[in-house]
């Protein structure tokens, strides 16, 4: 087991190095850099563009230097000093920017994932054990809809319905008064009131998929001989179902849990843009658009690192749960 | 999956062999060793000599939802191909007097209760005194019949054939009224026409992107699976590496890299290439897996012993074995690409105005004024995308069930 983990970690390091290089190259792909797009914005609004100031900014951020020099500066900053660079648009350190929104992003994503699991697994098991009943058909129809409707479209429709029917002011996680306030009970309560719409929208799609997977897997298991043996031995149906087939059916969840780690951080970008949530997703979009090099590069790098770690985590989990993989791995 | 051969030959041989090896045990077992009827009735005979594609088609026909999905898709793609003919108006033509107009109700029963050919009522525009909002009221007196195959604005079908016949419309004399099946947007442009033109771009991007992925995936996956060894390991590393980069940020980053001032066609191809760059990995893995398992099959060995070249073995013998599965995977990945393009255009990173795609239409609907006053601007493209995704999912399910050789 330990050998398996060590081997995987060893393979991870070169992958991470290459990923960091690729992220940096992708960010540098658009022609020009932050300052050219900044100057273009200034010109578009009619402000004067001070060439000397631009030149000094360029010097300061090292934008004129060849790409490998810039990459080296960035990487050495991250590895040696924990300095992820400076965001040119926000004029703050990148680390601070990401961290500010991190808590909210992770919280929202965690809640969505937990909700989706706690809803999908019981519903899926129920669907499988009561196959072809009316609730089963209902849940299947719901999961088809959930699987087919893209998230951001659902967000827009939910926004429209909430506005039309309930007169709610949707958008953002806080009401007007609380946005800049320090944390207090009242603020938490206000957030909870606004929280259910984003959570429902984000969780809907993954819940639908999970219901179908759970149902299919549990159905497969229920036909196996060991279930019949357990029944013959006198185990109560409910205990039987939850103790044995469901555990086996949980296999795919373990293998995909790793990818949820990266999803946690990027926080469902499209939905966040629609609902104007203050999470990481919209910020990354802005950074990409304005070529804010360090911010965008750090985001891409962070996401890729988390995906790799997540894959490792899910592989280890799967190996721990399923002894066959340990033997072959 | 090889072509099935008439069953009676094999059974006879098997019968002969088992009769020699297993001596009859008891009286009841002798019933099992009797030869089955050598003559099959017409129905079973047809089943046994049917080719592989015939069997798939018969199985597919039984899946009702897949047939519905296929029907919907055929209609959508026809609309996309002939969009200049189907759309009653030029997508950029605007009716100044009908900004944000709700959909025109098509009627066949007039005010006196009589049944008539389809027509629309004249609409007057007035302003609400308090909010200065436009209110459209129908005038029961004046009717405009809706004609089919009517002369309208001239257009060039696919940029080649000139014509001015549209599928339906009010006729060439009526200039300031419009029949807006899905309403008009904030500049007074007919949403139905824009949807039709948008269908052309949105639906074709999915197809082209998937075919690019397919080409890349089959070539690389085939090489990887067929030769095995170090080439296989190398290609697998590359695939794993590409998969570690999360998809949506990668799409966003690459699309942001495309200059905003590229012409529409160039941007279109840029987007398809970006979408397919990530998709080919899935296809390559599947193809590689199949090749690896098929490499050891007897019929490949037989073909090799007969003197076939490697190329011929791959193309003539191995590829048809998993082609059906590939087609099923294809249809299931097209919606992903369509949604990707829609999402990117909605974010402003993909196609942009004046290009028309469903994502661009959704982006124009994304503001509070549209949502509150003109919800059809949101629902029409959204419904189009959702229906397409559903149709592809059902079609893919049906194809996958039909292609699965083990399901009975």
């Amino acid at each position: 087991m330990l050998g398996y983990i060590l081997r995987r970690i060893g393979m991870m390091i070169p992958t991470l190095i290459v990923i960091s290089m690729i992220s940096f190259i992708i960010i540098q792909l658009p022609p020009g850099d932050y300052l050219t797009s900044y100057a273009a914005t200034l010109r578009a609004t009619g402000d004067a563009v001070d060439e000397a100031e631009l030149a000094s900014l360029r010097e300061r951020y090292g934008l004129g230097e060849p790409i490998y020099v810039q990459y080296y500066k960035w990487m050495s900053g991250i590895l040696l000093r924990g300095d992820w660079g400076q965001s040119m648009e926000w004029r703050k350190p990148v680390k601070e920017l990401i961290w500010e929104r991190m808590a909210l992003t992770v919280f929202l994503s965690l809640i969505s994932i937990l909700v989706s699991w706690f809803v999908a697994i019981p519903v899926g098991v129920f669907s499988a054990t009561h196959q072809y009943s009316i609730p089963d058909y209902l849940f299947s129809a719901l999961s088809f809809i959930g699987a087919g409707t893209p998230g951001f479209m659902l967000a827009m429709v939910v926004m429209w319905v909430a506005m039309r029917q309930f007169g709610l002011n949707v958008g953002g996680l806080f009401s007007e008064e609380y946005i800049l306030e320090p944390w207090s009970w009242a603020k938490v309560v206000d957030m909870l009131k606004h929280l259910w719409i984003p959570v429902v929208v984000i969780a809907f799609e993954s819940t639908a998929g999970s219901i179908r997977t759970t149902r299919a897997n549990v159905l497969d298991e229920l036909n196996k001989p060991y279930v019949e043996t357990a029944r013959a031995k006198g185990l109560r149906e409910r205990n039987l179902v939850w103790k044995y087939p469901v555990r086996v059916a949980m296999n795919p969840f373990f293998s995909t849990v790793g990818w949820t780690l990266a999803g946690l951080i990027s926080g469902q970008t499209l939905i966040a843009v629609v609902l104007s949530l203050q999470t990481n997703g919209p910020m990354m979009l802005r950074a990409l658009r304005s070529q804010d090099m360090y911010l965008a590069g750090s985001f891409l790098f962070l996401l890729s690192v988390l995906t790799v770690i997540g894959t490792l985590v899910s592989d280890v989990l799967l190996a721990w749960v399923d002894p066959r993989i340990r033997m072959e791995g | 999956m090889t072509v099935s051969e008439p069953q009676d030959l094999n059974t006879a041989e098997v019968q002969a062999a088992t009769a020699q090896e297993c001596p009859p045990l008891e009286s009841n077992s002798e019933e099992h060793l009797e030869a089955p009827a050598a003559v099959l009735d017409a129905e079973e005979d047809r089943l046994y000599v049917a080719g592989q594609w015939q069997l798939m088609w018969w199985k597919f026909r039984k899946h009702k939802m897949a047939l519905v999905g296929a029907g919907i898709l055929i209609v959508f793609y026809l609309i996309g191909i002939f969009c200049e003919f189907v759309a009653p108006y030029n997508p950029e033509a605007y009716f100044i007097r009908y900004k944000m107009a709700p959909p025109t109700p098509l009627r066949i029963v007039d005010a006196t209760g009589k049944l008539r050919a389809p027509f629309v009522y004249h609409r007057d525009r007035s302003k609400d005194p308090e909010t200065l909002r436009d209110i459209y009221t129908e005038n029961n007196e004046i009717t405009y019949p809706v004609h089919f195959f009517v002369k309208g604005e001239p257009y060039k079908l696919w940029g080649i054939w000139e014509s001015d016949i549209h599928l339906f419309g009010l006729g060439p004399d009526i200039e300031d009224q419009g029949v807006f099946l899905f309403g008009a947007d904030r500049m007074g442009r007919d949403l139905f026409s824009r949807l039709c033109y948008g269908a052309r771009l949105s639906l074709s991007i999915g197809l082209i992107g998937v075919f690019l992925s397919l080409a890349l995936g089959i070539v690389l996956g085939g090489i990887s699976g067929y030769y095995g060894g170090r080439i296989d390991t190398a290609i697998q590393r590359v695939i794993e590496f590409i998969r570690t980069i999360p998809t949506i940020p990668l799409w966003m980053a690459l699309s942001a890299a495309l200059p905003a001032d590229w012409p529409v066609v160039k941007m279109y191809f840029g987007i398809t290439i970006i979408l397919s760059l990530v998709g080919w990995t899935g296809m390559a893995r599947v193809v590689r897996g199949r090749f690896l398992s098929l490499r050891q099959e007897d019929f490949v060995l037989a073909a090799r012993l007969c003197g076939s070249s490697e190329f011929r073995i791959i193309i003539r013998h191995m590829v048809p074995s998993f082609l059906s599965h590939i087609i099923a995977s294809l249809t299931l990945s097209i919606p992903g690409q369509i949604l990707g393009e829609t999402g990117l255009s909605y974010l402003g990173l993909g196609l942009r105005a004046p290009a028309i795609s469903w994502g661009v239409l959704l982006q124009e609907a994304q503001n509070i004024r549209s949502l509150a006053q003109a919800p059809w601007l949101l629902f029409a493209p959204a419904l189009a995308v959702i229906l397409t995704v559903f149709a592809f999912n059902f079609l893919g399910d049906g194809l996958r069930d039909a292609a699965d050789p083990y399901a009975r």
Side-chain angles (χ1 to χ4, degrees):
Chain A
M1 188 66 191
L2 195 59
Y4 182 72
I5 299 183
L6 284 178
R7 249 180 304 143
R8 293 305 305 261
I9 295 187
M11 285 197 323
M12 228 169 67
I13 312 256
T15 319
L16 286 178
I17 296 181
V18 180
I19 285 185
S20 67
M21 287 199 254
I22 302 258
S23 312
F24 198 71
I25 294 179
I26 291 182
I27 302 302
Q28 297 284 40
L29 268 182
D33 52 29
Y34 174 73
L35 285 175
T36 49
S37 47
Y38 178 62
T41 332
L42 282 182
R43 259 181 235 118
T45 53
D47 285 336
V49 175
D50 187 359
E51 289 299 328
E53 185 190 337
L54 279 186
S56 74
L57 276 175
R58 184 162 275 139
E59 173 89 32
R60 182 166 147 221
Y61 290 123
L63 290 175
E65 300 173 27
I67 185 171
Y68 45 88
V69 175
Q70 293 185 37
Y71 170 73
Y72 176 69
K73 280 192 180 163
W74 180 52
M75 264 292 120
S76 54
I78 293 184
L79 294 173
L80 300 177
R81 295 190 300 270
D83 170 21
W84 290 71
Q86 189 88 351
S87 161
M88 288 170 266
E89 189 174 356
W90 301 78
R91 311 214 195 245
K92 277 161 102 174
V94 165
K95 208 162 60 159
E96 234 179 78
L97 279 173
I98 299 187
W99 191 251
E100 263 172 14
R101 301 178 170 226
M102 187 66 85
L104 219 47
T105 314
V106 170
F107 175 63
L108 195 58
S109 307
L110 258 180
I111 288 208
S112 309
I113 292 178
L114 286 176
V115 161
S116 96
W117 281 357
F118 278 112
V119 167
I121 297 183
V123 167
V125 172
F126 177 82
S127 261
T129 48
H130 298 81
Q131 205 185 7
Y132 301 135
S133 63
I134 297 194
D136 179 33
Y137 279 130
L138 203 67
F139 287 132
S140 293
L142 269 179
S143 38
F144 258 128
I145 297 181
T149 315
F152 68 95
M153 223 165 273
L154 187 65
M156 286 201 265
V157 171
V158 166
M159 247 172 78
W160 182 78
V161 166
M163 195 182 62
R164 256 308 173 57
Q165 307 299 112
F166 303 117
L168 284 180
N169 175 25
V170 291
L173 281 175
F174 303 101
S175 318
E176 293 273 341
E177 319 88 61
Y178 285 110
I179 290 186
L180 296 170
E181 294 282 324
W183 283 96
S184 63
W185 259 128
K187 188 167 178 180
V188 170
V189 169
D190 178 63
M191 185 177 82
L192 284 178
K193 271 198 287 197
H194 278 105
L195 198 60
W196 65 274
I197 292 186
V199 167
V200 160
V201 171
I202 295 179
F204 195 61
E205 199 169 343
S206 50
T207 313
S210 302
I211 290 182
R212 287 208 73 73
T213 323
T214 314
R215 178 180 181 271
N217 286 346
V218 172
L219 271 179
D220 274 343
E221 292 300 317
L222 280 179
N223 291 331
K224 297 216 172 137
Y226 70 84
V227 173
E228 227 175 282
T229 315
R231 258 188 218 127
K233 284 193 151 199
L235 269 181
R236 251 190 306 183
E237 188 70 21
R238 201 178 49 187
N239 287 351
L240 180 167
V241 167
W242 281 98
K243 246 183 132 178
Y244 298 106
V246 174
R247 278 198 189 165
V248 180
M250 287 300 104
N251 231 330
F253 282 107
F254 287 124
S255 50
T256 54
V257 79
W259 279 309
T260 57
L261 200 58
L264 271 187
I265 306 299
S266 77
Q268 303 294 347
T269 310
L270 284 173
I271 299 181
V273 167
V274 170
L275 293 175
S276 331
L277 304 171
Q278 289 100 346
T279 63
N280 276 331
M283 188 158 80
M284 183 172 87
L285 185 61
R286 266 184 82 165
L288 280 172
R289 273 222 191 103
S290 56
Q291 284 180 255
D292 199 350
M293 189 172 73
Y294 290 121
L295 187 55
S298 303
F299 254 126
L300 210 50
F301 181 55
L302 193 62
L303 284 176
S304 310
V305 165
L306 286 174
T307 312
V308 171
I309 295 183
T311 318
L312 177 69
V313 163
S314 46
D315 279 345
V316 167
L317 265 180
L318 203 55
W320 178 54
V321 163
D322 190 348
R324 298 173 290 185
I325 298 188
R326 243 179 286 156
M327 298 303 124
E328 295 167 21
Chain B
M1 201 154 88
T2 50
V3 174
S4 344
E5 295 167 34
Q7 208 64 313
D8 40 357
L9 275 177
N10 286 339
T11 337
E13 285 172 12
V14 165
Q15 285 297 308
T18 47
Q20 281 172 349
E21 289 164 21
C22 312
L25 298 165
E26 311 259 326
S27 45
N28 13 8
S29 65
E30 280 177 347
E31 290 163 353
H32 298 283
L33 290 178
E34 273 179 7
V39 176
L40 305 160
D41 59 25
E43 170 88 32
E44 288 176 7
D45 195 42
R46 216 163 53 119
L47 200 62
Y48 284 131
V49 302
Q52 176 188 8
W53 297 102
Q54 271 281 27
L55 284 174
M56 268 182 66
W57 170 242
W58 286 342
K59 192 121 182 265
F60 179 73
R61 262 194 337 207
K62 292 192 198 157
H63 198 299
K64 293 292 178 268
M65 292 307 290
L67 287 176
V68 168
I72 292 182
L73 284 177
I74 291 181
V75 168
F76 276 11
Y77 272 96
L78 280 177
I79 292 183
I81 295 178
F82 293 109
C83 65
E84 286 113 344
F85 168 68
V86 173
Y89 302 106
N90 192 312
E92 299 298 333
Y94 49 92
F95 293 79
I96 315 180
R97 303 184 48 196
Y98 289 96
K99 297 192 192 156
M100 307 276 263
T104 326
L106 264 187
R107 297 181 194 279
I108 50 178
V109 180
D110 69 6
T112 58
K114 260 189 339 180
L115 209 62
R116 288 175 50 168
F119 64 94
V120 297
Y121 284 128
H122 177 90
R123 279 204 291 192
D124 296 312
R125 184 177 77 158
S126 53
K127 274 203 191 298
D128 183 295
E130 286 175 44
T131 63
L132 287 188
R133 222 179 112 176
D134 291 326
I135 300 186
Y136 295 95
T137 43
E138 288 195 321
N139 185 340
N140 283 10
E141 306 296 313
I142 314 174
T143 64
Y144 300 106
V146 172
H147 304 287
F148 292 94
F149 295 100
V150 68
K151 272 193 188 313
E153 288 168 34
Y155 58 84
K156 271 190 173 182
L157 188 64
W158 305 325
I160 309 179
W161 284 304
E162 285 215 19
S163 170
D164 58 357
I165 303 190
H166 293 266
L167 183 63
F168 67 95
L170 288 180
D173 326 314
I174 310 200
E175 295 247 330
D176 54 346
Q177 283 287 315
V179 51
F180 305 121
L181 277 190
F182 287 145
D185 68 1
R186 63 187 165 81
M187 282 177 56
R189 297 177 292 199
D190 175 28
L191 191 63
F192 179 71
S193 308
R194 287 173 72 80
L195 264 182
C196 293
Y197 278 78
R200 177 177 279 186
L201 278 185
S202 287
L203 290 176
S204 56
I205 278 192
L207 274 188
I208 295 184
V210 160
F211 275 118
L212 278 178
S213 296
L214 177 71
L216 263 180
I218 285 194
V219 167
L220 285 172
I223 294 179
S224 176
Y226 193 71
Y227 290 111
R230 282 212 296 228
I231 302 184
D232 180 31
T233 323
I235 296 189
Q236 284 310 300
R237 287 285 149 265
V238 170
I239 289 182
E240 263 175 37
F241 169 71
I242 294 186
R243 295 192 100 169
T244 49
I245 308 185
T247 319
I248 296 193
L250 184 63
W251 278 350
M252 286 187 354
L254 288 175
S255 308
L258 296 177
D261 49 359
W262 267 7
V264 173
V265 180
K266 223 172 164 191
M267 179 72 95
Y268 172 77
F269 281 115
I271 300 280
T272 44
I273 293 181
I274 289 178
L275 289 177
S276 58
L277 268 183
V278 178
W280 70 268
T281 52
M283 189 63 62
R285 279 199 98 121
V286 166
V287 171
R288 168 195 177 251
R290 288 305 177 115
F291 262 109
L292 276 180
S293 57
L294 281 178
R295 230 179 10 158
Q296 293 140 358
E297 287 281 343
D298 285 342
F299 66 88
V300 171
L301 181 61
R304 209 174 273 136
L305 290 175
C306 281
S308 304
S309 66
E310 299 288 314
F311 184 69
R312 185 182 157 85
I313 294 181
I314 296 181
I315 300 291
R316 180 75 176 83
H317 297 291
M318 294 174 86
V319 167
S321 309
F322 56 79
L323 199 56
S324 46
H325 175 93
I326 296 242
I327 294 182
S329 304
L330 265 186
T331 18
L332 286 173
S333 50
I334 295 183
Q337 303 246 355
I338 294 184
L339 282 177
E341 181 272 323
T342 308
L344 283 177
S345 305
Y346 168 74
L347 285 177
L349 289 174
L351 293 171
R352 287 165 245 231
I356 305 175
S357 83
W358 290 339
V360 172
L361 289 178
L362 278 173
Q363 216 231 1
E364 290 171 4
Q366 167 70 348
N367 56 71
I368 203 68
R369 184 172 169 223
S370 303
L371 277 187
Q373 297 176 0
W376 52 88
L377 286 182
L378 165 67
F379 285 119
L383 210 60
V385 173
I386 295 180
L387 270 181
T388 311
V389 168
F390 270 161
F392 268 118
N393 276 338
F394 285 133
L395 182 67
D397 265 350
L399 278 178
R400 194 179 48 198
D401 285 344
D404 186 358
Y406 295 107
R408 215 349 176 165

